[in-house]
Amino acid sequence: MSRQLVMGNWKLNGSVALLQTMSQALSGAEYAAEVTVLPPCTLLLEASRQAQGFFVGAQDVSSHASGAYTGEVSAVQLAEVGCKYVLVGHSERRQYHGEAGNMLLEKMRRASEAGLVPVLCVGENLAQREAGEAEKVVTQQLSGLDSFLSSGLVVAYEPVWAIGTGKVASIGQIAEMHDMMRAKLGSTVPLLYGGSVKAANAAEILSLGNVDGVLVGGASLVFEEFDQICRAAVRV
Ligand code: PGA
């Protein structure tokens, strides 16, 4: 049996106070899901100290090991403060920081070497979806992963047009992409869906055969919503 994964990506939100509220509430809950909270970097150490019944992850990692790279945080440093997971290539990093290709593979390599599990985010934008290129784009974003298949890797399909927009991909669109990713990556890589996941749609998404969990943005900041999403997940 494996547990479905529910990950809460706080993005550039949250505070010490929210962390306290959230970790207290999560510590008392018992979920079939494996729950991970991904707060901003400044809260990671405190999150790890408070984490009972949930794991802690980071939203990004440097492609460098150490040195003169102002503002960066390394994989070893993330591991040192208790992170289990780290997002790599979230669409907001791709969009606002120009991240792509080999640099993302380098981030994943650093993460793996430090004992973290990289969560590679992939997904097409609206123009690509409308041009019928969604599968081609995602396939391309999944290239070069062979060496990570045995070392621990999670992939999150997050169509850019569904992130923070309230527009969730249809069940058919999610199923189609996840089936394609499963065929490509095999059965050992957990596949998450992300993009406007909320309490009202989580159960249906999580019931799909090739969906092993969800990556939640906005709805992870409100305990009542996040709690219901965690409850929608099952052991499979
Ligand atoms: P959203 O974000 O749930 O607010 O759409 C998801 C994500 O970006 O991981």
Side-chain angles (χ1 to χ4, degrees):
M1 292 253 277
S2 65
R3 305 169 82 187
Q4 289 191 317
L5 309 178
V6 178
M7 298 196 178
N9 173 13
W10 287 16
K11 309 190 179 185
L12 184 47
N13 299 296
S15 59
V16 174
L18 179 69
L19 178 65
Q20 268 158 4
T21 311
M22 204 55 101
S23 54
Q24 249 170 27
L26 288 173
S27 300
E30 282 195 7
Y31 301 118
E34 181 193 296
V35 177
T36 300
V37 172
L38 302 99
C41 250
T42 50
L43 297 174
L44 290 173
L45 179 58
E46 190 55 24
S48 296
R49 286 190 175 137
Q50 296 187 16
Q52 268 181 38
F54 65 95
F55 291 99
V56 175
Q59 300 172 17
D60 183 33
V61 60
S62 179
S63 59
H64 303 286
S66 65
Y69 299 102
T70 302
E72 296 278 274
V73 178
S74 77
V76 170
Q77 290 168 332
L78 294 176
E80 190 183 24
V81 296
C83 289
K84 175 173 181 181
Y85 296 100
V86 60
L87 301 185
V88 174
H90 187 282
S91 66
E92 287 148 15
R93 300 292 315 173
R94 294 176 192 262
Q95 183 178 352
Y96 301 122
H97 302 273
E99 295 190 4
N102 284 342
M103 182 220 223
L104 298 181
L105 291 175
E106 197 56 17
K107 287 183 177 221
M108 292 179 61
R109 187 174 70 77
R110 297 276 180 208
S112 291
E113 283 175 6
L116 302 169
V117 179
V119 180
L120 178 68
C121 302
V122 298
E124 80 287 355
N125 63 30
L126 188 58
Q128 291 163 334
R129 165 67 60 178
E130 285 175 351
E133 290 174 353
E135 209 171 289
K136 189 177 109 197
V137 169
V138 171
T139 301
Q140 219 243 321
Q141 290 171 338
L142 290 177
S143 55
L145 296 184
D146 287 356
S147 62
F148 300 101
L149 296 181
S150 53
S151 64
L153 162 71
V154 175
V155 170
Y157 169 56
E158 298 202 303
V160 179
W161 48 272
I163 295 177
T165 57
K167 269 190 216 157
V168 66
S170 75
I171 287 298
Q173 287 168 328
I174 299 172
E176 195 178 19
M177 195 61 84
H178 278 244
D179 292 351
M180 183 281 279
M181 296 196 300
R182 178 69 73 219
K184 223 175 173 36
L185 299 172
S187 59
T188 57
V189 179
L191 303 176
L192 314 186
Y193 169 78
S196 299
V197 174
K198 44 188 188 270
N201 58 27
E204 192 181 16
I205 295 168
L206 285 162
S207 72
L208 290 171
N210 282 326
V211 172
D212 304 307
V214 284
L215 179 54
V216 186
S220 70
L221 296 166
V222 183
F223 177 71
E224 291 68 23
E225 274 284 314
F226 193 56
D227 177 59
Q228 282 189 52
I229 297 168
C230 293
R231 283 181 198 291
V234 295
R235 280 175 207 268
V236 282

